[in-house]
Amino acid sequence: MLSALKKTFLTVLLLPVLCSVTVHAQTPRLNPDDLLLYRDGSGKVQKVTTPDDWKQRRQEIIRGMETVMGPFPGDDQRVPLDIEVLEEVKLDNYTRKLITYQSGPDSRTPAYLCIPHTASKDHKVPAVLCLHPTDNKVGHKVALGLGGRAGRNYAAELAERGYVTIAPAYPHLANYWPNLGKLGFVSGTMKAIWDNSRAIDLLASLDTVDMSQGVGAIGHSLGGHNAIYTAVFDPRVTAIVSSCGFDSYRDYYDAAERVWYFGKGWCQIRYMPRMSDYRGRLDEIPFDFTELLGVMAPRPVYVNAPLHDSNFRWKSVDKCASAARPIYELLDAKGKLVIDHPDCDHNFPEEQRQKAYQLFDTVLKQ
């Protein structure tokens, strides 16, 4: 009963903060399906022909994200991590620690940190950020195989494979309820991105982690788009895996209006409540996954998009990839955006997980 009252109080407290801004585009939206367009210094729409041209479009996409998500915090928010270990379990091949770290002033984030027994100061190993799917009962435990459905325990499987892994909790799920408004966040999405960036800071601080090739990011469902969002804002993520994580916002649930009200779908407090401003005009959302895939180039991206996923449409995923591929070609990264379509539902099968892990081996173990 107390937990329910707490959630209700937090929601009411945050509503004025989250709903006070109505978003209107100041300039016409560039075609999200044509990434070879950009606005020059005078505001004139031009054709992208060089990587420098693309940088200008890329910056406009990120500004569009911040219009909806709120701004990415500045480095003044990178306070000392002050890691606290709450629990430590030694398993056959790695040690699992339940920790909290100071992600910002007045904010501590829970996470599971797994360190292989083979890792040491003299034998540093690469690391992967492991972002869990939606689960309001056990939260980030899912990524460790400690609850929830099978096929989501990639943090544990990657630790078995020799990677240091960290799996932060996601805001407003299970036992993690930061006061977003008080902390200065207008969306749970940006809070999660910031928590993830700070988790990468934590990995970089460990004397057992080899950061020379960057870090990987992997996630299923909620974790699938969380991995993409984080990679956009943190260039230290050099290999990205998204499983069942997205389709175009314009195709989400076939553009049904019912999922674009405040508190529904993408418009929930833990995601991006400002998205509800675009109900009935989805074409005006100032960023889309067509563009986010392009923003991640030239980094390698592996996408698991099952044929029978009821959350996200695989055909829409293909359209997003088709729009992004010209940017990969522009940046000499042709073939680094891979879309896989297993014949299953909203799941992350063994075969696809192994392909994801092979990507990390190729990029991070050079």
Side-chain angles (χ1 to χ4, degrees):
M1 181 64 178
L2 180 59
S3 176
L5 287 172
K6 177 182 177 184
K7 294 176 185 178
T8 301
F9 172 76
L10 287 175
T11 300
V12 172
L13 180 65
L14 289 170
L15 284 178
V17 176
L18 297 173
C19 300
S20 60
V21 179
T22 299
V23 180
H24 295 292
Q26 295 180 350
T27 54
R29 171 80 160 98
L30 288 176
N31 185 349
D33 298 321
D34 187 353
L35 274 60
L36 295 177
L37 296 175
Y38 78 102
R39 237 182 289 271
D40 65 17
S42 65
K44 185 178 180 181
V45 178
Q46 304 277 15
K47 197 74 175 173
V48 170
T49 59
T50 69
D52 284 340
D53 294 341
W54 164 245
K55 286 180 183 177
Q56 295 190 61
R57 174 66 181 274
R58 189 180 189 275
Q59 290 169 357
E60 183 167 329
I61 294 165
I62 293 174
R63 287 196 299 270
M65 295 176 74
E66 292 184 306
T67 298
V68 176
M69 298 177 178
F72 184 69
D75 284 341
D76 62 314
Q77 299 296 297
R78 293 190 189 275
V79 296
L81 290 162
D82 187 27
I83 302 167
E84 294 184 1
V85 179
L86 307 180
E87 176 187 280
E88 186 169 323
V89 179
K90 188 172 182 179
L91 302 170
D92 289 344
N93 297 311
Y94 64 93
T95 297
R96 184 184 70 225
K97 299 179 181 182
L98 175 60
I99 65 170
T100 66
Y101 58 92
Q102 191 166 259
S103 47
D106 303 314
S107 181
R108 297 193 67 84
T109 300
Y112 278 99
L113 176 67
C114 296
I115 302 178
H117 300 328
T118 55
S120 68
K121 294 180 182 179
D122 299 323
H123 179 68
K124 296 184 178 184
V125 299
V128 180
L129 175 68
C130 299
L131 305 174
H132 68 86
T134 302
D135 190 296
N136 205 24
K137 293 183 179 179
V138 298
H140 57 157
K141 288 184 178 181
V142 174
L144 281 303
L146 299 176
R149 295 177 59 187
R152 277 77 164 155
N153 59 328
Y154 29 83
E157 291 182 336
L158 283 163
E160 293 277 0
R161 203 178 177 98
Y163 289 91
V164 171
T165 66
I166 190 165
Y170 189 90
H172 290 205
L173 282 176
N175 64 337
Y176 182 42
W177 286 83
N179 188 323
L180 299 176
K182 184 177 180 181
L183 294 172
F185 291 93
V186 301
S187 72
T189 293
M190 184 53 75
K191 172 58 172 163
I193 293 168
W194 181 248
D195 287 352
N196 298 340
S197 185
R198 295 293 283 149
I200 296 173
D201 289 344
L202 190 155
L203 293 172
S205 74
L206 301 178
D207 59 12
T208 55
V209 171
D210 176 9
M211 291 281 292
S212 62
Q213 304 301 320
V215 300
I218 185 172
H220 175 75
S221 195
L222 163 66
H225 45 261
N226 197 6
I228 291 173
Y229 296 151
T230 302
V232 167
F233 285 96
D234 199 319
R236 294 174 294 180
V237 178
T238 55
I240 302 98
V241 174
S242 177
S243 171
C244 300
F246 69 93
D247 57 9
S248 169
Y249 296 126
R250 294 160 290 160
D251 295 327
Y252 181 62
Y253 279 85
D254 301 319
E257 186 175 4
R258 60 183 168 79
V259 299
W260 290 99
Y261 284 88
F262 177 81
K264 303 290 186 180
W266 291 108
C267 310
Q268 298 175 62
I269 290 174
R270 67 173 175 242
Y271 301 129
M272 297 167 281
R274 287 181 179 176
M275 277 291 207
S276 63
D277 290 333
Y278 297 95
R279 186 179 70 254
R281 51 189 188 99
L282 302 182
D283 289 339
E284 296 179 34
I285 297 173
F287 68 101
D288 204 341
F289 285 98
T290 48
E291 296 159 304
L292 302 191
L293 292 179
V295 167
M296 291 188 291
R299 294 170 286 179
V301 178
Y302 175 74
V303 176
N304 171 47
L307 296 176
H308 310 292
D309 186 348
S310 60
N311 287 39
F312 301 109
R313 311 307 190 234
W314 69 269
K315 290 183 179 179
S316 179
V317 174
D318 280 352
K319 288 192 292 184
C320 292
S322 294
R325 285 198 172 101
I327 302 304
Y328 278 81
E329 294 177 10
L330 177 73
L331 301 180
D332 296 323
K334 185 177 181 179
K336 288 192 176 181
L337 173 57
V338 176
I339 313 296
D340 203 358
H341 295 304
D343 188 7
C344 67
D345 60 2
H346 188 77
N347 217 328
F348 199 177
E350 170 75 17
E351 179 182 347
Q352 279 62 46
R353 297 200 309 281
Q354 291 305 317
K355 289 180 180 179
Y357 304 160
Q358 289 164 17
L359 171 65
F360 294 144
D361 289 348
T362 299
V363 175
L364 303 177
K365 292 185 175 179
Q366 294 182 3

